[in-house]
Amino acid sequence: MYIAHNMARRLRNIKSNISFTFLVFVLLVLAGCDGTRYVADGDYLLTSARVSCENPRINLTTMDTYIRQRPNSKWLSTLKVPLGFYSMSGADTTKWINRTLRNWGQAPVVYDSVLTARTVEDLTAAVRNEGYLNAQVVPQLSAVGKRIKVNYDIVTGSPYVVRKISHNIEDPTIETMLTQNKQLLDMHSGQIFSVNQLGRNRNRITDYLNNHGYFLFNKEFISFDVDSSQMNRTVDVTMNLELYRRNSYQKLSQHPVYRVRNVYFEGANTPDFKLRQSVLEQNSFIAPGQPYSAADLQKTYTRFSRLQAIRYTNIHFDENPDSLYLDCHIQVSPQKTNSIQFQPEGTNTAGDLGAAVSLIYQNRNVFHGSELLNVTARGAYEAIRGLEGYQSHNYEELGLETSLAFPRFLFPWMKKSFHRRSSATSEILFSFNRQNRPEFQRRIFTAAWRYKWSNPQRHIQYKVDAIDVNFISMPWISETFKHDYLDSVSNRNAILRYNYENLMIVKTGIGYTYSDRDKTIRLNLETAGNFLHLLASPLKFKKNAEGQNTFLGIAYAQYVKGDADYTRLFALDDRSNLAVHARLGIAYPYGNSTILPFEKRYFAGGSNSVRGWSVRSLGPGGYTGKDGRIDFINQTGDIKLEFSTEMRSKLFWRFQSAIFVDAGNIWTIREYQDQPNGQFKIDTFMKQIAVAYGVGLRLNFDYFVVRLDMGMKAVNPAYTTSREHFPLVHPKFSRDHAFHFAVGFPF
């Protein structure tokens, strides 16, 4: 029996090694294919196109965007696999294999001297616009066989400097406004001359005037005269701002300043759709009597886009003949008020198969104020295998969640002006969850009051949990489970016992998120139990057998928890980028608690953590699990530290690849008998950092991403031998790998 098992294990390892070797072989063959197979005699395969410049003031990343012709794309910025696929195809395109290879691949990029000349022109113009009026771009060609490299060498010379600035503003009212706001004329003598700076000045002045009543003003009324006839590399700049004339038949005049006369809301009061007038006015920044403002127009669009009851908004202004007044028409188109969704899903928990179904009802205009009512009913069933000593072998779950979101900041004594300024959402939530397992029954009741608001101009979002109450009740625990885990003297586990008792969590928290195209920062802080702890003494709360204060007969948790999360994307080329991620989390139980509630503890391993380990299988520290049935409790902690680097690259169609390195672990703050070697210590925690590496394949549909990652252990902090400590040096596929199937990017 042992021999047969050993042989089967070896065959699996051999099969895995053969598959991995074959994959590497195919990639190397594709990368090494002769890409010049379909390059005609006299032509060249473009293998490199780069920009160089010795002047550190020139941004090479910006200049790289002007290159008109680029070489064939690479997988992971290294392997020209698409070119390899194309080169492997035969000339007969009537055969499906040749057509398939060409569809997967990419035709060789043949060097084009015309595109090189256009690139030189564009680069020259771009550098001269930065003030280097005598700049030259020299294309340097390097050909070997049928391959050629192009390097665009930028020679800037000395920059031109602004000697004198003058303004010719023909409209006296605008001249007074600009004189009083000198920051709009952002140019001074002695600075390097820049055409791009002139363009920014023109846009800045245009935006300012558009926001102060100048409805018909546009940047074409502003021009610049630049005199570079001086012999000492200096220029004289004159800004011209012309008078207004709508067409060639009109006389020149001062630019008209418009005010809003009337604001009409259309489409918000029909037999099938009603939205309160006060809600429309509160979300509109355009009001009668105010000067026209393009910024207020954009803010109104933004605020109306947040209203769940509205599908889209169209705003236009009508001029009134012979007057400087505008009538504003805000037309709204309603969303479908009621909707029902049915969501079936399959579940797989440690090999136990099951099914779940959710029924979701939404009403987007409950009280005719664009309030969003969301009611979700969920049921789940799972057949549990391998349990001995239990009467039932099934898991059943029923849940009901109701939330009501208001598109405004609900708070007593709040000024109306604050409501207008804040782009907030207030939410009330109630939920009940009933779980019946063979080992126990759990009931969870949740009630919460939350706020969310954002500042889109600064890419910032805030979240405040004013109060979040959770009652966790354990009405029944099987005798077998009590005997094996809770009451057994030889297997008594404090963390396990704490999480199978009735518990109350009353928490408050705040969250901050900054997110732009390349960077995301998340900060969260929450605390629980403090308010109840202040009332414990004056109201004489009773204590339980463990000495904890209780409220309504239930012990309450007391802790503080903070999380910081950082993600940054770096573009490597047009097909690849580098993603860097770091996370730090610390939670500290105190006062009425010595152990964190299970739902608030950290775990490591899994598709969004250190991917060489399966979910909840890493840590804390150097802890080595002994009993897989309860390690999901023991392998949790109070501190989490993680770092990840991932290079992502487009392959073909919607497929993307990834190469990643993950590092991190979790630790406990206190020393727990059931988690030996798991406490965080300054002198040992660096030695307990786990490291993993791996590859991934992603299917990107833009609105969601499906990914498959395979991670391998590199450094294992939980080991008994040196070979287990450094799997990178002593790899064993069956022991060190973990596959992860997930939706969405890991960070």
Side-chain angles (χ1 to χ4, degrees), residues 457-514:
Q457 290 77 20
R458 297 187 177 182
H459 312 287
I460 295 175
Q461 292 181 332
Y462 301 93
K463 175 186 175 184
V464 172
D465 293 330
I467 185 169
D468 192 319
V469 181
N470 291 265
F471 290 96
I472 303 172
S473 173
M474 305 293 297
W476 176 83
I477 301 177
S478 72
E479 293 300 326
T480 302
F481 191 79
K482 285 183 179 180
H483 177 271
D484 290 346
Y485 300 120
L486 304 184
D487 297 336
S488 173
V489 176
S490 61
N491 195 29
R492 192 181 297 271
N493 188 311
I495 299 176
L496 192 66
R497 288 178 60 86
Y498 180 71
N499 286 282
Y500 287 92
E501 298 174 349
N502 295 341
L503 181 67
M504 178 189 295
I505 303 175
V506 181
K507 74 178 184 71
T508 58
I510 185 171
Y512 165 92
T513 301
Y514 172 88

Side-chain angles (χ1 to χ4, degrees), residues 170 221 242-256:
E170 299 178 359
F221 288 107
E242 302 172 359
L243 289 171
Y244 174 74
R245 182 161 58 184
R246 184 180 291 243
N247 53 56
S248 57
Y249 302 103
Q250 279 191 340
K251 294 181 179 180
L252 292 172
S253 63
Q254 290 186 227
H255 289 270

Side-chain angles (χ1 to χ4, degrees), residues 539-550:
L539 297 184
K540 298 180 180 180
F541 287 177
K542 294 182 179 180
K543 295 183 180 291
N544 60 15
E546 284 74 28
Q548 295 174 295
N549 292 318
T550 62

Side-chain angles (χ1 to χ4, degrees), residues 350 485 616 623-635:
Y485 300 120
R616 299 179 186 268
Y623 169 79
T624 304
K626 297 296 191 298
D627 189 338
R629 293 177 296 175
I630 61 172
D631 278 347
F632 73 96
I633 287 288
N634 285 332
Q635 298 200 259

Side-chain angles (χ1 to χ4, degrees), residues 394-397 434-438 440-443:
N394 300 322
Y395 167 71
E396 299 174 357
E397 178 184 350
R434 171 181 175 272
Q435 302 173 7
N436 287 347
R437 289 186 59 89
F440 56 82
Q441 294 179 359
R442 190 196 302 264
R443 307 289 184 262

